[in-house]
């Protein structure tokens, strides 16, 4: 399958998989790759990625885990179409399903308690924070324009089975808000891992696993350090990327 004029095909360096992305649009970043390395889907479990964009997280989870049933929901029609074509490009249409729709309606679309695992790489910034063009796919991916964090947590709670797991990546500056809303929605944080660009720099990402109905006990894991030197990835990052 060929890409369109405004698209490119990138090698994911996993299982021979590739992904279609816009040349000048929003492309997946390290946060999505780190989330796929932090998450786990067991054999026989159903997983869904809320706001899947290019479909990168379902594709990487299919490559990295034992799961066999993955869904991604994306509200932007053209981006959802691109994700569907990436699934076809990799011959994964029997294992990954892309749905064009609003994640705020996830429980109505898929039914309550219908997934074992939910993942989300949500917009990090509130609607007006540094916003320049609210109509671009980049703005929608980065800012809470079409959905906000509270709506994502609400739908996650509704579509997760009891004991189901929610994996997310967010910004440390919103950590208090993130944990508070998780607990308010019956999603107990169980694992937390900070991500630092360099060993002597403050964290710029946080990975969290929460369990629906879980007991109150959270493990703070050793942090990820992205670079061991200028322009040189750490061994952990190289392993996550599959280098």
């Amino acid at each position: 399958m060929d890409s369109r004029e405004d698209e490119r095909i990138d090698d994911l360096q996993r299982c021979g998989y590739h992904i279609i992305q816009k040349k000048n649009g929003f492309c997946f970043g390290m946060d999505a790759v780190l989330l796929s390395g932090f998450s786990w889907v067991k054999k026989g479990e159903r997983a869904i990625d809320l706001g899947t964009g290019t479909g990168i997280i379902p594709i990487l989870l299919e490559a990295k885990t034992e799961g066999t049933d993955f869904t991604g929901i994306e509200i932007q029609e053209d981006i959802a179409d691109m994700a569907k074509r990436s699934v076809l490009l990799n011959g994964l249409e029997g294992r990954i399903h892309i749905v064009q729709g609003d994640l705020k309606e996830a429980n109505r679309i898929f039914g309550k308690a219908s997934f074992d695992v939910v993942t989300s790489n949500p917009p990090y910034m509130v609607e007006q924070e540094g916003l320049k063009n609210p109509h671009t796919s980049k703005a929608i991916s980065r800012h809470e324009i079409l959905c906000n964090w509270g709506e994502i947590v609400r739908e996650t709670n509704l579509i997760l089975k009891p004991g189901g797991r929610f994996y997310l990546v967010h910004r440390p500056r919103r950590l208090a808000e993130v944990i508070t809303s998780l607990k308010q929605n019956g999603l107990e944080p169980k694992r937390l891992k900070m991500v630092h660009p360099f060993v002597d720099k403050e964290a710029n990402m946080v990975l969290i696993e929460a369990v629906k109905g879980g007991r109150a006990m959270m493990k703070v894991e050793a942090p990820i350090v992205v670079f061991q030197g200028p322009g040189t990835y750490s061994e952990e990052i190289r392993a996550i990327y599959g280098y």
Side-chain angles (χ1 to χ4, degrees):
M1 179 181 297
D2 294 327
S3 59
R4 296 172 182 172
E5 186 176 347
D6 62 340
E7 298 173 345
R8 68 174 192 260
I9 298 177
D10 294 332
D11 186 350
L12 293 177
Q13 301 188 32
R14 287 276 179 178
C15 304
Y17 292 165
H18 294 76
I19 193 163
I20 302 169
Q21 301 198 93
K22 294 285 188 183
K23 291 179 180 177
N24 297 309
F26 182 83
C27 298
F28 77 86
M30 180 173 287
D31 44 8
V33 179
L34 292 178
L35 181 58
S36 73
F38 184 75
S39 308
W40 189 252
V41 185
K42 301 174 185 177
K43 187 175 182 179
E45 289 186 330
R46 295 187 70 207
I48 184 170
D49 184 44
L50 300 180
T52 198
T54 60
I56 180 62
I57 291 175
I59 291 173
L60 287 178
L61 286 178
E62 195 282 335
K64 294 180 179 183
T65 74
E66 297 178 352
T68 56
D69 192 299
F70 302 89
T71 298
I73 183 170
E74 170 57 44
I75 193 169
Q76 300 176 81
E77 187 175 357
D78 60 328
I79 306 299
D81 175 72
M82 188 166 57
K84 290 177 182 178
R85 288 186 284 116
S86 287
V87 170
L88 291 171
L89 175 66
N90 293 299
L92 296 172
E93 57 269 27
R95 300 164 71 89
I96 300 178
H97 319 283
I98 303 297
V99 176
Q100 194 269 313
D102 190 342
L103 68 80
K104 298 192 298 293
E105 300 293 326
N107 81 90
R108 181 187 62 79
I109 296 170
F110 302 106
K112 295 180 179 179
S114 52
F115 292 95
D116 303 282
V117 173
V118 174
T119 59
S120 180
N121 179 8
Y124 297 140
M125 293 181 275
V126 295
E127 185 174 353
Q128 297 302 322
E129 185 180 359
L131 187 59
K132 293 182 178 180
N133 186 344
H135 303 294
T136 68
S137 61
K138 288 184 179 180
I140 290 169
S141 298
R142 293 169 176 166
H143 296 77
E144 294 182 338
I145 296 171
L146 299 183
C147 69
N148 61 43
W149 171 242
E151 292 164 335
I152 292 171
V153 178
R154 180 198 69 208
E155 289 303 306
T156 295
N157 177 48
L158 290 171
I159 63 177
L160 263 184
K161 297 177 182 178
R165 304 182 305 286
F166 179 31
Y167 298 98
L168 67 116
V169 59
H170 220 296
R171 295 297 191 206
R173 60 186 172 78
R174 294 185 68 180
L175 183 56
E177 173 193 355
V178 167
I179 289 180
T180 298
S181 59
L182 287 170
K183 292 178 73 71
Q184 288 175 342
N185 283 271
L187 300 166
E188 189 63 36
K190 303 297 288 184
R191 295 168 57 216
L192 183 150
K193 184 184 277 289
M194 290 290 188
V195 181
H196 299 253
F198 291 92
V199 69
D200 60 344
K201 299 296 184 181
E202 66 181 40
N204 59 0
M205 284 183 275
V206 59
L207 297 158
I208 299 174
E209 175 189 342
V211 174
K212 183 174 180 177
R215 295 182 179 179
M217 183 177 290
M218 183 174 70
K219 177 182 179 181
V220 179
E221 299 182 348
I224 295 174
V225 177
V226 176
F227 295 102
Q228 64 184 28
T232 305
Y233 282 142
S234 66
E235 290 300 318
E236 185 172 8
I237 290 296
R238 291 175 66 86
I240 292 171
Y241 268 88
Y243 292 159

